[in-house]
Amino acid sequence: MAAISQPPDVEKPNISSSSSDNIYNKNHNTDADSKNDHPAPSEKIPSLDPAAENKLLLKLDAVFVPIIMLVYLSCFLDRTNIGNVRVAGMPEDIGASPQEFSTAVSIFYATYVAFESPWAILLKKLTPRVVLTSLCVIWSLTTIFSGFITNVGGLYAARLVLGACEGGLFPGLNLYLTMVYKREEQARRVSYLFVCAALSGAFGGLLAYCLLKMDGVGGYAGWRWVYIIEGIFSFLIAFLIWFGLPNDPSNAYFLNKEEKAMMRVRALQRAQYMGSEEFSWDEIWTEFKDFKLWISGAIQFCQDILLYGFSTFLPSIITSMGHSSIEAQYLTIPVYILGGIVFLSLAFISDHLCIRGPFILFANVFGIVGYILIICPTANGVKFFGTFLCAIAVYSGPGLNLTWLNVNVAPHYRRAAAIGFQQTLGNTAGVVAGQIYRTAPYLLGNVFSVGALGLAQILIVIKWLYIKRQNAWKEKILSGEVPDKRKVKTGDRELDFKYHL
């Protein structure tokens, strides 16, 4: 069967034309597809051979996913290695008190959240290659120079610069994924990013364990080598971004002529989701008035308290259970690996069913139980088991919630504003995390985290009910039961755009 079967007049589809998201070959519609997408009858939409499209997806994944994962892995390593060096004597060497060290953890998020939305909106204008490569180079050099700081002021400065650069990475990578994949293909790709966050914890613990043994080499303390070596690793990744991530994924260097034609067809199928290429302030202001954005940001804030508190302070939490600083480094590895594996599994199922909210609720239950085990007067072995349960919620919650917003906002610039602002709201949790995890046994931090999970569960239910009501309202308008008095009727507000629950 031919890869593309299309009428002659759509040989080169107009990507910016209005059409339903995922208007797909009828022979390939899954139940989830049919529930979430309604083709416009006036559109002549090309048809893709499912086998050929799956082959194309494998090729896209084989090239883009490893690069994106390595970029985010290096980013998260450079952000969270402050937790590894904390138990290796860094605060004492630079004369930082526990309060000053907590401040250093928190101020990273001051610039991180301030720059997220601007970088997300500027990504397409400045091009992904220029923005992402530049940011990676600057934060890599900052990490290397962190190995030479001698006082608290130097640590503060490094963390502020690091935050300003890394603030653009996660929204940028998410937007890049939306330029390549359809709505129902995104959760598993976003999951790769959060798996990298988990892997950075596991790999970071293992790497720190090895690098700390370099203590004294060249006259430098082991914690300094952690910064220097990990910064060099990130610097090398910048070359991968420049040469590996084209500004126009549909014209990628590794695609042949037929595959590029298929990418144009996929772009037409996603036209409603992507929208106009022209920047519009109206789209941004429209999104800021969207209830989905605000409640999604509130959920992300609650989930990120876990993500940043757990990923930064897990070595310290394990040390408070009676383990040495070296033991704490390698004991984090299986915890992070389990969190990543479970998140990958949930993301695959979520994409297959096009269901998001219930999976976040499910993952959070494990986190609540885990934190309760850590908080209660249980044996240290039970507390350590609790960290495994926490890891399930730590990565699955933020990742699936982000995907939930990604797939329910259109077009591009409305989505860019949504992702940037949601991450801005969510990442202010990093400031909180740095203040609640101060002294062992970190009771305040763990109690605060389980409370945040409980609040997140309530907010998730509210968001789910709201989205379900919006879908039902659209159905009533389509059937003529109620008049359409809505002010905004474009993008995700179009009647044939069905929100994922």
Side-chain angles (χ1 to χ4, degrees), residues 123-138:
L123 182 79
K124 184 168 273 191
K125 186 174 182 63
L126 299 180
T127 74
R129 176 181 285 170
V130 170
V131 170
L132 297 177
T133 303
S134 301
L135 294 178
C136 186
V137 167
I138 297 172

Side-chain angles (χ1 to χ4, degrees), residues 157-364:
R159 295 290 290 177
L160 287 169
V161 174
L162 200 64
C165 294
E166 292 198 6
L169 182 71
F170 194 70
L173 292 179
N174 267 282
L175 281 171
Y176 197 84
L177 290 173
T178 68
M179 294 164 64
V180 180
Y181 299 102
K182 297 177 183 177
R183 293 169 71 203
E184 70 277 9
E185 297 166 354
Q186 285 183 31
R188 72 188 69 177
R189 277 80 191 184
V190 172
S191 75
Y192 299 148
L193 296 182
F194 279 88
V195 165
C196 283
L199 288 176
S200 75
F203 181 62
L206 180 61
L207 189 59
Y209 174 76
C210 297
L211 294 178
L212 289 176
K213 292 183 178 294
M214 295 178 65
D215 190 44
V217 174
Y220 294 116
W223 65 265
R224 295 186 184 276
W225 284 111
V226 171
Y227 277 127
I228 294 169
I229 300 299
E230 292 184 2
I232 292 173
F233 171 72
S234 296
F235 186 80
L236 296 176
I237 297 299
F239 292 94
L240 274 181
I241 301 175
W242 182 262
F243 293 106
L245 296 182
N247 289 326
D248 180 8
S250 65
N251 249 337
Y253 57 92
F254 57 86
L255 298 176
N256 59 37
K257 185 177 179 180
E258 182 181 352
E259 289 165 340
K260 289 178 181 179
M262 292 176 69
M263 289 293 285
R264 291 196 296 272
V265 173
R266 284 169 55 84
L268 178 60
Q269 295 169 346
R270 294 159 50 247
Q272 180 193 55
Y273 181 55
M274 293 305 295
S276 171
E277 298 289 320
E278 297 298 321
F279 176 79
S280 168
W281 281 111
D282 288 340
E283 294 288 12
I284 293 174
W285 299 133
T286 295
E287 185 53 33
F288 282 152
K289 293 181 284 187
D290 188 352
F291 178 73
K292 297 194 306 295
L293 168 62
W294 291 94
I295 193 165
S296 180
I299 294 169
Q300 198 73 7
F301 176 83
C302 295
Q303 302 284 169
D304 280 353
I305 285 178
L306 277 69
L307 179 64
Y308 296 128
F310 191 85
S311 60
T312 303
F313 293 100
L314 182 58
S316 298
I317 293 171
I318 293 177
T319 300
S320 72
M321 297 176 186
H323 297 283
S324 69
S325 61
I326 294 294
E327 289 174 335
Q329 303 294 349
Y330 64 75
L331 284 175
T332 62
I333 297 172
V335 178
Y336 289 125
I337 289 176
L338 176 69
I341 290 173
V342 173
F343 179 37
L344 266 179
S345 303
L346 292 179
F348 270 75
I349 300 171
S350 174
D351 265 354
H352 179 71
L353 300 177
C354 291
I355 294 174
R356 317 297 177 178
F359 287 101
I360 309 175
L361 287 168
F362 175 73
N364 282 347

Side-chain angles (χ1 to χ4, degrees), residues 126-154:
L126 299 180
T127 74
R129 176 181 285 170
V130 170
V131 170
L132 297 177
T133 303
S134 301
L135 294 178
C136 186
V137 167
I138 297 172
W139 91 58
S140 301
L141 294 175
T142 302
T143 302
I144 294 172
F145 294 147
S146 296
F148 301 96
I149 58 177
T150 57
N151 53 52
V152 176

Side-chain angles (χ1 to χ4, degrees), residues 355-406:
I355 294 174
R356 317 297 177 178
F359 287 101
I360 309 175
L361 287 168
F362 175 73
N364 282 347
V365 170
F366 290 92
I368 291 171
V369 174
Y371 276 108
I372 290 174
L373 292 179
I374 296 173
I375 293 167
C376 292
T378 55
N380 284 335
V382 175
K383 293 180 184 292
F384 183 58
F385 172 71
T387 65
F388 286 86
L389 299 181
C390 291
I392 295 174
V394 164
Y395 297 106
S396 299
L400 290 174
N401 184 55
L402 177 63
T403 304
W404 201 9
L405 184 70
N406 277 1

